[in-house]
Amino acid sequence: MENKAALQDAFGRGHDYLRISISEHCNLRCTYCMPEDGIHLTPKPQLMTADEILQIAETFVQLGVKKIRVTGGEPLVRKDAKDILLRLGKLGVNLTITTNGILVPNFIDTFKAAGIKTVNISIDSLDKAKFNRITRRDYFEAVFENINLLLGEGFQVKLNVVLMKHFNDNEILDFIALTEFKKVQVRFIEFMPFNGNDWDKSKLVTYAEILHQMETEFAVNEIQRLEDAPNDTAKNFKIASYLGSFAIISSVTNPFCSTCNRIRLTADGKLKNCLFSNSETPLLETLRRGESILPLIQQNLRSKKPVRGGMEDDAQFQNPELFSQNRSMIAIGG
Ligand code: SF4
C-alpha cells in the first residue's frame, strides 16, 4: 500500500525515484569514474542477488516509487542483467537505464520486453582518440553505432557527457550540432568530486561557461529554453530548428536539491539518500533475516540533509578530505 510519508524526508521532499546499481564492474575504465588502481570490489556474498534487488525494489514501489533507473558500474556486464530488467519491468514503474552502450545490441529485445523506452548512454567525446583516452578502452565506434541502433529501434536516447576543461570543453558545440539531425538529448554534466577521480575546480566547466559557448554560437531567437520537468536535475534547451535537445546538470555551481526526489541503492545493498552523502544504511542483513526494511528506509530518508549530503557551501563541497570519504562514482552509479 502506497505510503508517501515513508518516502518523505524532513524537508517534505517525496522520493519516488529509485536508482539501483546492480554491478560494481565495468568494461570501461573512465578516468573520472574508476580510480587509476581500480576499486576494492565487494565480495559476492555481500552483493545483492537478483531476488534481493527485486524484493527491495518491490518494497519501494509499494511505498510509492514511480521511477527506477538501473545503473552500475556498467549494468549490462552483470550475468543476470536480463532477468533483473525483465522482472523490474513487471513492477509497473517507469524503468530506465544508464549504460556505456557497448553491449546494447544483446539487450534490445530485453529492453523492449521490460518496457524500457529511454536509454541514457555515457559518451564524453565525439573524437575517437579522446574517447579512448578517457575510457582507457577502444569502443568508440561500437558505442556510436549503438546510439544509432537504439534510435533506429525507436528508443529515446539521452547522451550523458561529463565535461572537463582542456579535455572536451571544445566539443560542446559539436555535441549540440549532433542534435541538428539526431533526435537525442545531450546532457552536459558538471564534473563532480568523488573519491579517486582527481577532481579539481580547475577542471570544472560551469553552467555559465556552457551557456556562454551556446550564446556565442547561436542567435538569441534560435535558442529555446524548454520547460523542465518537476524534480528535473537538468536545465533544458533546444536549438529551434534542430531535431534533438540538450540540457545542463549543474550540481557544482547550481545545485538543484530543493526538488530532489532521488534515493540510491548500491550493488551491496546500501541506501544512499544523496549522491554526495557519506552515510549509508545497509539493508541486506535485515532483509536476509526476513525482517522489514521499512524502518531503515524511513530512518535513512529522515536523516537526509537539505543540500549535497550536508556539503552546502563550496568550500565544504570541494574539500578533498570530505569528498574522498564518499565512494567512487563506479560504486554509486551516478
Ligand atoms: S546533491 Fe543530493 S540532495 Fe542534491 S539533488 Fe543530488 S542527490 Fe539530491
Side-chain angles (χ1 to χ4, degrees):
M1 185 192 64
E2 215 168 280
N3 173 358
K4 283 218 161 91
L7 293 178
Q8 274 203 349
D9 65 19
F11 309 95
R13 295 174 292 193
H15 294 73
D16 58 5
Y17 177 6
L18 176 66
R19 299 174 65 108
I20 307 177
S21 166
I22 65 169
S23 178
E24 295 177 336
H25 294 265
C26 187
N27 43 4
L28 289 180
R29 292 285 177 275
C30 300
T31 55
Y32 59 82
C33 181
M34 168 82 84
E36 183 79 38
D37 321 328
I39 63 166
H40 168 70
L41 291 167
T42 307
K44 195 154 192 227
Q46 293 165 36
L47 293 172
M48 292 186 293
T49 63
D51 288 347
E52 288 165 343
I53 291 172
L54 266 296
Q55 266 182 282
I56 297 172
E58 276 160 8
T59 301
F60 274 100
V61 172
Q62 281 157 10
L63 293 172
V65 158
K66 299 277 180 290
K67 179 177 179 180
I68 292 178
R69 176 175 297 281
V70 174
T71 68
E74 167 51 37
L76 304 185
V77 298
R78 184 170 166 151
K79 291 196 176 44
D80 54 357
K82 286 186 178 178
D83 171 51
I84 293 168
L85 291 174
L86 292 171
R87 293 167 68 187
L88 288 173
K90 294 196 174 81
L91 297 181
V93 294
N94 170 9
L95 184 64
T96 62
I97 188 163
T98 300
T99 166
N100 60 31
I102 296 164
L103 299 174
V104 157
N106 313 342
F107 284 82
I108 296 290
D109 296 341
T110 303
F111 288 171
K112 288 181 177 174
I116 291 174
K117 297 190 174 37
T118 303
V119 178
N120 287 49
I121 301 269
S122 306
I123 178 168
D124 304 307
S125 180
L126 297 173
D127 174 297
K128 176 178 176 174
K130 282 188 349 184
F131 177 96
N132 293 2
R133 198 161 79 233
I134 197 150
T135 62
R136 297 182 269 207
R137 295 290 183 275
D138 182 11
Y139 287 117
F140 179 73
E141 278 92 2
V143 170
F144 212 74
E145 271 163 34
N146 295 340
I147 290 168
N148 292 331
L149 171 66
L150 285 165
L151 289 170
E153 292 283 347
F155 290 93
Q156 189 192 7
V157 178
K158 299 183 175 183
L159 306 182
N160 290 356
V161 183
V162 177
L163 289 175
M164 279 160 284
K165 203 150 269 170
H166 311 306
F167 176 71
N168 57 358
D169 54 335
N170 62 349
E171 293 187 67
I172 291 171
L173 297 178
D174 298 340
F175 273 107
I176 294 177
L178 198 67
T179 68
E180 181 167 10
F181 302 113
K182 259 189 212 319
K183 202 169 176 18
V184 292
Q185 186 203 44
V186 172
R187 301 161 70 79
F188 296 118
I189 302 170
E190 286 184 343
F191 181 31
M192 296 175 275
F194 289 100
N195 185 12
N197 73 354
D198 286 340
W199 188 88
D200 182 282
K201 197 170 180 197
S202 67
K203 298 176 185 169
L204 184 64
V205 182
T206 67
Y207 174 71
E209 286 167 328
I210 301 166
L211 287 189
H212 178 70
Q213 283 207 33
M214 176 184 76
E215 287 157 357
T216 309
E217 180 71 12
F218 299 97
V220 177
N221 62 0
E222 287 180 286
I223 302 167
Q224 291 175 342
R225 175 74 173 87
L226 303 175
E227 197 179 336
D228 303 332
N231 311 112
D232 208 334
T233 59
K235 297 164 184 77
N236 298 279
F237 299 84
K238 185 181 187 301
I239 303 303
S241 61
Y242 287 14
L243 275 183
S245 65
F246 56 95
I248 306 169
I249 298 170
S250 53
S251 311
V252 182
T253 62
N254 260 291
F256 32 80
C257 304
S258 59
T259 60
C260 183
N261 65 333
R262 292 163 294 283
I263 188 162
R264 291 167 170 84
L265 179 62
T266 61
D268 56 346
K270 298 198 174 98
L271 273 189
K272 283 178 77 71
N273 58 31
C274 168
L275 180 57
F276 299 108
S277 167
N278 296 332
S279 71
E280 302 174 350
T281 305
L283 299 182
L284 276 187
E285 283 153 35
T286 304
L287 191 77
R288 289 175 180 175
R289 284 198 303 269
E291 294 166 16
S292 167
I293 58 172
L294 180 56
L296 296 173
I297 294 171
Q298 292 174 312
Q299 169 228 323
N300 178 275
L301 280 172
R302 274 203 294 277
S303 68
K304 182 167 181 165
K305 301 284 192 307
V307 175
R308 296 191 299 203
M311 295 182 279
E312 302 216 12
D313 69 39
D314 286 349
Q316 288 173 308
F317 187 63
Q318 298 168 16
N319 176 352
E321 274 162 40
L322 291 178
F323 66 70
S324 60
Q325 292 166 27
N326 195 1
R327 295 175 177 231
S328 57
M329 176 58 99
I330 189 154
I332 303 172

